[in-house]
Amino acid sequence: MFKLVGGNLNGKIAIKLHTGEPHGPNIIPSPWVQKLQEQIPDSTIVECNVLYGSPRQTSKGHRETLKINGWNFSRVDIMDEDGEAELPSNGAKYVKRFRVGKNLLNYDSMLVLTHFKGHTMGGFGGSMKNIAIGCGSSGPEGGKAQLHGLLDHNGQWIRGEELMERMADGAKAITDHFGKKIVYINVLRKMSVDCDCAGTSAAEPTAPDIGILASTDLLAIDQASIDLIKALPEGQNRDLMERITSRKGLRQLSAMKERKMGHDQYKLIDINKA
């Protein structure tokens, strides 16, 4: 899948991955990622520390979690470990300048490798959320706080459509920065209604595994992921679609379209049949 979309990536390549909470049961298996990374020269797995209560709030705790979850085959760059940088977000509604881990600026290209699943606040976590929340710096006035509205709503975490729009603002800063040197892979496997942030407390997935998508278009890949879930029999997609719609998660897609972050019309090609 990577070979089909990764032709424009060169130089130092960041692999943006959600490495998960300790013993997270649903994360992309580390041996899969190891075999993929072996085919991508000069690549580094990248993460940022988190804002919520977790061992991953600190770089020390984060590195211990990386060891627990099997990410010991590669150096993992915690991009905000030594500070943050600001990136402009063209056409943003709320977050005009997005604060990211400053080490993001050390990379020429990015592969966004995403475990697609539900999310307690976002409805779903796809490629857009992976580069928005995932690349935001973790300090009290960092990018994650910007996207969650903490700086504009008296420390209250915002939800609903404004959260989706803020995430799109943050993701737009990342896509503006990398231009054509950013591509996306969504792994539609073990799709709990909960994010990998939930760790071992994540609900057991009730939707079946679907497969892996790859694209050079951010909106198209998240739109296609949602469409494939919608197309499942009602008994198989009920829990996941309830989580997505009850959190206004589909607003992620329209917010990306408004910011011209890709196309919601796409052609789905099954490489096993092509």
Side-chain angles (χ1 to χ4, degrees):
M1 298 297 283
F2 173 75
K3 288 178 180 177
L4 291 173
V5 298
N8 282 340
L9 304 195
N10 55 39
K12 294 183 65 176
I13 300 173
I15 302 176
K16 177 61 190 75
L17 182 70
H18 193 316
T19 53
E21 291 298 317
H23 305 291
N26 300 323
I27 60 176
I28 301 174
S30 59
W32 293 15
V33 181
Q34 181 176 6
K35 288 185 177 182
L36 171 63
Q37 189 181 16
E38 288 170 354
Q39 304 174 51
I40 307 175
D42 203 7
S43 61
T44 304
I45 294 171
V46 301
E47 270 275 36
C48 281
N49 290 325
V50 302
L51 188 61
Y52 57 88
S54 160
R56 299 165 65 229
Q57 273 189 314
T58 68
S59 295
K60 180 180 179 181
H62 202 153
R63 294 198 185 283
E64 288 300 316
T65 302
L66 292 169
K67 292 177 186 176
I68 290 169
N69 285 351
W71 307 109
N72 48 12
F73 57 85
S74 167
R75 183 177 78 89
V76 178
D77 185 353
I78 300 174
M79 295 187 292
D80 62 336
E81 185 170 21
D82 299 313
E84 62 187 19
E86 281 193 345
L87 296 178
S89 181
N90 299 316
K93 181 175 180 180
Y94 294 100
V95 182
K96 310 290 186 182
R97 297 189 64 83
F98 181 44
R99 295 171 195 142
V100 300
K102 76 172 187 178
N103 289 355
L104 182 141
L105 304 183
N106 295 336
Y107 297 94
D108 305 295
S109 307
M110 177 173 279
L111 165 62
V112 184
L113 179 57
T114 302
H115 172 221
F116 194 95
K117 65 281 181 186
H119 192 273
T120 301
M121 296 181 70
F124 71 90
S127 282
M128 192 268 269
K129 180 185 173 295
N130 193 1
I131 58 173
I133 301 291
C135 290
S137 55
S138 59
E141 296 187 355
K144 288 179 169 66
Q146 287 179 296
L147 300 191
H148 282 295
L150 299 181
L151 308 183
D152 306 313
H153 292 274
N154 298 316
Q156 299 298 311
W157 292 59
I158 56 102
R159 298 174 183 270
E161 294 193 356
E162 184 178 332
L163 173 61
M164 310 310 155
E165 292 201 60
R166 285 175 175 271
M167 286 199 294
D169 287 345
K172 183 64 160 51
I174 305 299
T175 59
D176 287 346
H177 176 73
F178 284 109
K180 293 184 178 181
K181 294 186 177 184
I182 183 169
V183 299
Y184 312 92
I185 295 177
N186 280 358
V187 180
L188 280 68
R189 167 191 181 272
K190 301 195 79 171
M191 294 181 290
S192 170
V193 298
D194 293 316
C195 180
D196 295 330
C197 308
T200 56
S201 66
E204 188 70 20
T206 57
D209 297 347
I210 293 176
I212 300 173
L213 301 181
S215 182
T216 58
D217 186 305
L218 173 57
L219 173 53
I221 195 169
D222 278 357
Q223 179 73 62
S225 300
I226 291 291
D227 290 345
L228 285 169
I229 292 167
K230 284 182 177 179
L232 291 171
E234 196 272 338
Q236 295 181 4
N237 68 9
R238 181 189 303 112
D239 294 342
L240 196 50
M241 286 307 303
E242 190 281 332
R243 173 57 54 92
I244 292 167
T245 56
S246 66
R247 270 59 169 184
K248 310 295 184 184
L250 297 178
R251 183 71 177 104
Q252 292 187 43
L253 303 173
S254 57
M256 284 191 276
K257 187 173 183 179
E258 290 165 6
R259 289 158 179 76
K260 297 180 171 58
M261 296 169 67
H263 302 84
D264 59 359
Q265 300 296 311
Y266 57 87
K267 182 178 181 180
L268 195 63
I269 300 170
D270 185 341
I271 64 169
N272 294 315
K273 298 177 181 178

